[in-house]
Amino acid sequence: MIKVCKFGGSSLASGEQFKKVKDIVKGDETRCVVVVSAPGRRFDGDSKITDLLYLCHAHLKYGVSYESIFELIEQRYCEIRSYCGLSCDLDSEFELIRSKMCKRMNVDYLASRGEYLNAKLMAEYLGAEFADAKDWLFFGYDGKVDFDKTNDALRKIISETPKVVIPGFYGAMPDGSIRTFSRGGSDITGAIAAAAIGAGAYENWTDVSGILMADPRIVSNPKSIEKITYAELREMSYMGAEVLHEEAVFPVRKVDIPLYIKNTNDPEAAGTLIRESFPNDLEDDDSSTRFITGISGRKHFTIITLHKVGMSGEVGLIRKALEAVERFGVPIEHVPSGVDSFSLVIASDALENCLHDMISELQTVCQPDTVKVTEDISLIAVVGRKMAFKPGVSGRLFATLGSNNINIRLIEQSADEIIIVVGVKDEDFEKTIKVLYYSFT
Ligand code: ASP
């Protein structure tokens, strides 16, 4: 079995971090493909190399000297090289990059050098082969990854070398020029590599012990999630949790490669395992305290409620309202309804410039008796595949909120029962998350 391990910027920010990565890779001989980010922040207030590279480009563009910033970049790599006792010829690399620096240079090329140089150093440190992403990760002219070409090229490289280090974040266009993914894109490279070679596992190493059950800025020291399905992950991230980018899970999800989130600074911690499903886990555990996978939420929603006596008999009324909102290009989050009323739940940001015009349009097309606008609403999602078909979960949830004096303004549950959403006033946002976390974990 081959594992693909991707290490993020904070895992590779300094020589000390390089040492931890080496121990992790050497600790498991199946960790044969190592994908690296550029050095991230070493401490609060420090800079990420990628940010500095973009800053150099901005200076170039406006004709301002980039020298002092580029020197900072050079220094960071030289420090790692000397801490790890390496001999990689960084001077020639820096010279080559400098020779390409001009006003109209390819910004993606410059940004990609963060990963490129880090991979060079890591390859030497691990005694592994360096496989430049420009030689196997190919984009088509449409800017999308050419999976056939990419998969073949990487498979060939892996068949010839026992251990490779790959820079994340970029690949090559058909004309050979460098193209990067969006920020954080090394995660995507790791997933593409894992899928291409049919890896036994894709390990994404970062600085937290997996995906947390709740936002640590709200709940202190939240537990990490042991297992989560992709569907739950989507719900969590849509509702505000900072987890992996959709593009970064898609390649491994498609071929059902187990995806682990692990902590470079605490490699023994279990981390989080993400899979399409966990067929046996519903029987595994019937403890009433383990129904919840995680809790996430977003603030600042507006609820527009239209009330009209006899509405339930009026065919097409909700469609007219939805079309009216669509004309403003505004997405709708939820549409809870009653016999004589229905509501549109919309992110307040999206209504910033059109709320009044939209309401007058709704009045014209729906002719409601009243329209009520409730602002400053937060939506909080309780996510958990184990809630499905278990009576009593939502009852307990609402009772808990009630006994803590939290007024619920809205309730939604998806038909697959993996998520229950409650709407509360923005001022109750943090309290609601805390109350739910402490009573369900
Ligand atoms: N270094 C790039 C960034 O900071 C890509 C990555 O780390 O995934 O966005």
Side-chain angles (χ1 to χ4, degrees), residues 6 8-9 37-39 48 50-51 54 111 114-115 168-169 182-187:
K6 180 261 165 180
S37 281
K48 292 181 178 182
T50 311
D51 289 338
Y54 280 118
E115 281 48 31
F169 190 38
S182 54
R183 294 299 303 267
S186 300
D187 286 338

Side-chain angles (χ1 to χ4, degrees), residues 103-115:
K103 215 177 172 117
R104 291 181 40 225
M105 82 178 298
N106 173 3
V107 58
D108 286 12
Y109 166 78
L110 186 55
S112 72
R113 296 306 89 184
E115 281 48 31

